[in-house]
Amino acid sequence: MKLTLDALEVLDAIDKKGSFAAAANALFRVPSTLTYTVQKLEEDLGFVIFRKEGRRSVLTPAGRVLLEEGRHLLLATQAMIDKAHQVDSGWEVSLNIALDTVWDIEQLLPILAEFQQLNTGVEINLLEEVMGGSLEALIEDRADIVLGGPPPSATIQGLQFKEMMQSQWCLVTAKDHPLTKTSLPLTNEMMTAYTSIVIKDSSRQSPIQSHRIMAKQKQIKVASMAQKISLIEAGIGIGFLPRHKIQGKLDEGTLVTLETAEPTQSTPQYCSWKRNNKGKAARWFIDRILSDKV
Amino acid sequence: MKLTLDALEVLDAIDKKGSFAAAANALFRVPSTLTYTVQKLEEDLGFVIFRKEGRRSVLTPAGRVLLEEGRHLLLATQAMIDKAHQVDSGWEVSLNIALDTVWDIEQLLPILAEFQQLNTGVEINLLEEVMGGSLEALIEDRADIVLGGPPPSATIQGLQFKEMMQSQWCLVTAKDHPLTKTSLPLTNEMMTAYTSIVIKDSSRQSPIQSHRIMAKQKQIKVASMAQKISLIEAGIGIGFLPRHKIQGKLDEGTLVTLETAEPTQSTPQYCSWKRNNKGKAARWFIDRILSDKV
DNA sequence: TAATTTGTTCGAAAAAACTGAACACTTTAA
DNA sequence: TTAAAGTGTTCAGTTTTTTCGAACAAATTA
């Protein structure tokens, strides 16, 4: 490779400053040094970069290619160096946290704020996944940490997990929904007459499965908990929702819970991660999230 | 920028050859030189690149980033140099030839073959455009040369053009089409009863216009001449086609021409290009195409 | 016309890169 | 177990590359 990054910086400076002299000044060198650098580069590459016009030099078309593409190269080089430094620091370049749609992002916000205070340079990406999808993201390395959702099945090696909370599911409708007028408690048969809102599993592999499906019930499948809440709030259907996600709306009265004949479920929510993850940020978040539980 | 491309090549060689000694041999240097280069790089960047394990050296995570991203950088650098050489040679890096759908690519093939013999390094891109679209491609610099279609309007500056041929349009149908049984010649009113196949203008700016539309006729709009021929051949509709494009099918008998009451049109086909185009390849193609006409 | 600004040339000096022998260490082979 | 071969490193000396600064020629400006 008969080209140096230094030479590209010289070209950049000459173009930016408008003359060899000004560029030399900016680079704390002497004009003749730049002449030498450019001439050497021209000789090495085998074509002319600057052509004299009057008392100043202008770029040839080939020289312009070198300048403009060279600038991108310089930026890419600096980005690479920065990334290597980041890796060397032990903090990840980026950390992907998958939030199961059951999970409440509110709980994560203070932890995120605290993390940003550390100035680690880690880029945090939040993904929203649904049920199976969150664990799949972990297995396929699209996520480093999963918050919420079921525990990993025992057949998958190398994953660790810890129960974080119990989420209490309750059957809810909009406040004006006809079911609110029915005699309570509700049996499954009574519910089948109404449209239910169901969250679709976001995993790509596993067959489509959803939570609490009832036979022959009219269904609308949605992509997230937020969508499910919106549709129920709009009176379009009914569904089971985790109490912690809708406490506010229950207090406001826009949503109401209905008593069911069968006892409502309570499903545990887990935090899962890969055991062999050595990154400082992943460790920090796991420690911080688990200690937060207490 | 405390990093040289040479150092990246050294890292690459060490990783490829598996040891400092082998890499030194491949680079026609002495092992101690590589030690010097790597140590200097480590000092400049401020982190360790190789760690000793047993009697050999292995990359640290940060070193691996440098190696892998550095390889991309080296490739990009070489690509840039190649491009600059190409520009310096006076031949374009790439040449875009827009073929109006009326044009027959067969005429261009021997010219393309001849051009490839020249080994110019120019990347040729063929675009198929329809009517207004071909000139629009020229104006918007998506194309360097346009073959076929109408001449540029006089209001557009800097475009040159030359008439290449007259294309003779004739009304055709599939051989079993009901119109073939009708008494000839056909008037416009007789045609309106049948679906006509029309090519849609591919230009984005100009309002949709198509060739030889007749009032209140059933239409199917297609995207290219080839599609139009296919649909007519399948008996789906009728349409005007340039004779040179379908001579083969007329000889075979899969398509038949119908006599029309009004005389069939003959539209000139032009070759258009930008006057200020200085590229050698554009010049070569224009000269070659124009001389071919004789 | 004189002064200023441009980039270049060239010899000398400084800096960087490279060499090769000696060395310390690990792994392999006898 | 010992010898041999292979690893990368150190270091003094050499070579090459880069930089400097003064002198210069040419174009522009005052």
Side-chain angles (χ1 to χ4, degrees), chain B residues 189-206:
Chain B
E189 290 79 54
M190 294 165 76
M191 295 182 216
T192 53
Y194 299 90
T195 302
S196 75
I197 312 297
V198 180
I199 299 175
K200 197 156 144 275
D201 189 333
S202 68
S203 70
R204 290 148 211 192
Q205 291 186 342
S206 36

Side-chain angles (χ1 to χ4, degrees), chain A residues 1 9 45 69 83 85, chain B residues 1 9 45 69 83 85:
Chain A
M1 192 78 66
E9 284 179 321
L45 293 180
E69 310 228 342
K83 183 171 173 184
H85 271 123
Chain B
M1 192 79 67
E9 285 179 320
L45 294 180
E69 309 227 344
K83 183 170 172 183
H85 271 124

Side-chain angles (χ1 to χ4, degrees), chain B residues 169-213:
Chain B
W169 296 80
C170 43
L171 182 65
V172 294
T173 66
K175 64 173 190 292
D176 303 324
H177 193 277
L179 264 179
T180 57
K181 276 97 193 169
T182 324
S183 64
L184 299 175
L186 288 167
T187 62
N188 281 354
E189 290 79 54
M190 294 165 76
M191 295 182 216
T192 53
Y194 299 90
T195 302
S196 75
I197 312 297
V198 180
I199 299 175
K200 197 156 144 275
D201 189 333
S202 68
S203 70
R204 290 148 211 192
Q205 291 186 342
S206 36
I208 291 172
Q209 55 160 170
S210 29
H211 206 247
R212 281 224 179 226
I213 319 182

Side-chain angles (χ1 to χ4, degrees), chain B residues 1 14 17 38 74 80 95 98 120 134 146 222 229 275 281:
Chain B
M1 192 79 67
I14 294 172
K17 297 293 175 180
V38 170
L74 290 172
M80 175 186 74
L95 184 77
T120 57
S134 55
V146 168
V222 296
I229 294 172
R275 186 183 303 131

Side-chain angles (χ1 to χ4, degrees), chain A residues 1 3-5 8-9 45-48 61-62 65-66 69-70 73-74 76-78 80-81 83-85 87-88, chain B residues 1 3-5 8-9 45-48 61-62 65-66 69-70 73-74 76-78 80-81 83-85 87-88:
Chain A
M1 192 78 66
L3 171 70
T4 64
L5 293 174
L8 291 180
E9 284 179 321
L45 293 180
F47 58 83
V48 179
V65 169
L66 230 49
E69 310 228 342
L73 229 46
L74 290 173
T77 306
Q78 190 53 57
M80 175 185 74
I81 294 174
K83 183 171 173 184
H85 271 123
V87 169
D88 182 61
Chain B
M1 192 79 67
L3 172 70
T4 65
L5 293 174
L8 291 180
E9 285 179 320
L45 294 180
F47 58 83
V48 178
V65 169
L66 230 49
E69 309 227 344
L73 229 46
L74 290 172
T77 305
Q78 190 54 59
M80 175 186 74
I81 294 173
K83 183 170 172 183
H85 271 124
V87 168
D88 183 61

Side-chain angles (χ1 to χ4, degrees), chain A:
Chain A
M1 192 78 66
K2 310 211 68 45
L3 171 70
T4 64
L5 293 174
D6 179 69
L8 291 180
E9 284 179 321
V10 167
L11 292 191
D12 175 61
I14 293 172
D15 183 72
K16 271 210 179 80
K17 297 294 174 180
S19 75
F20 278 49
N25 191 52
L27 294 170
F28 304 103
R29 298 183 214 188
V30 131
S32 63
T33 299
L34 301 201
T35 302
Y36 167 81
T37 305
V38 171
Q39 285 183 349
K40 186 169 176 340
L41 185 59
E42 288 181 335
E43 192 185 342
D44 288 344
L45 293 180
F47 58 83
V48 179
I49 296 171
F50 285 101
R51 177 159 284 123
K52 254 202 133 150
E53 264 182 30
R55 72 177 174 185
R56 53 199 324 111
S57 295
V58 294
L59 282 164
T60 61
R64 183 149 294 280
V65 169
L66 230 49
L67 171 70
E68 288 173 2
E69 310 228 342
R71 279 178 174 153
H72 293 138
L73 229 46
L74 290 173
L75 288 175
T77 306
Q78 190 53 57
M80 175 185 74
I81 294 174
D82 292 344
K83 183 171 173 184
H85 271 123
Q86 180 72 16
V87 169
D88 182 61
S89 75
W91 293 99
E92 295 89 323
V93 173
S94 68
L95 184 77
N96 299 319
I97 303 177
L99 299 173
D100 193 285
T101 199
V102 173
W103 199 260
D104 199 351
I105 194 173
E106 299 293 329
Q107 300 180 30
L108 190 61
L109 297 182
I111 300 181
L112 278 174
E114 197 177 319
F115 184 76
Q116 288 311 107
Q117 295 287 316
L118 298 178
N119 263 92
T120 57
V122 179
E123 178 186 296
I124 302 287
N125 301 311
L126 298 184
L127 321 172
E128 183 168 335
E129 296 283 346
V130 177
M131 310 181 90
S134 55
L135 284 172
E136 191 180 284
L138 189 63
I139 294 160
E140 294 173 356
D141 275 332
R142 298 201 314 277
D144 301 293
I145 299 174
V146 168
L147 283 180
S153 82
T155 57
I156 301 163
Q157 293 293 313
L159 296 190
Q160 288 197 290
F161 56 94
K162 191 147 189 177
E163 188 184 321
M164 296 292 296
M165 58 174 282
Q166 289 282 334
S167 89
Q168 190 68 38
W169 295 80
C170 43
L171 181 65
V172 294
T173 66
K175 64 173 191 291
D176 304 323
H177 193 276
L179 263 179
T180 56
K181 275 95 192 170
T182 323
S183 62
L184 300 174
L186 289 167
T187 63
N188 281 356
E189 292 79 55
M190 293 166 77
M191 295 182 218
T192 53
Y194 299 90
T195 303
S196 74
I197 312 297
V198 181
I199 298 174
K200 196 154 146 274
D201 191 331
S202 69
S203 70
R204 290 148 211 195
Q205 292 187 341
S206 36
I208 290 172
Q209 57 161 174
S210 29
H211 205 246
R212 283 224 179 226
I213 319 180
M214 293 153 218
K216 284 195 281 181
Q217 192 167 4
K218 288 172 283 182
Q219 286 187 359
I220 294 178
K221 293 211 177 74
V222 295
S224 70
M225 187 66 71
Q227 289 181 3
K228 182 171 180 178
I229 294 172
S230 295
L231 266 72
I232 292 176
E233 203 173 356
I236 295 170
I238 62 174
F240 286 87
L241 289 174
R243 178 175 289 276
H244 69 96
K245 277 278 226 180
I246 52 165
Q247 194 60 56
K249 293 183 189 296
L250 292 177
D251 295 345
E252 287 172 27
T254 56
L255 288 178
V256 295
T257 61
L258 301 176
E259 206 180 322
T260 54
E262 297 176 48
T264 56
Q265 259 190 331
S266 166
T267 58
Q269 296 297 318
Y270 290 82
C271 174
S272 318
W273 66 95
K274 285 203 169 170
R275 186 183 300 129
N276 62 357
N277 193 327
K278 290 284 192 299
K280 279 189 191 176
R283 263 294 16 122
W284 186 94
F285 268 98
I286 291 162
D287 290 347
R288 187 67 187 69
I289 288 167
L290 295 184
S291 73
D292 204 51
K293 186 175 68 118
V294 187

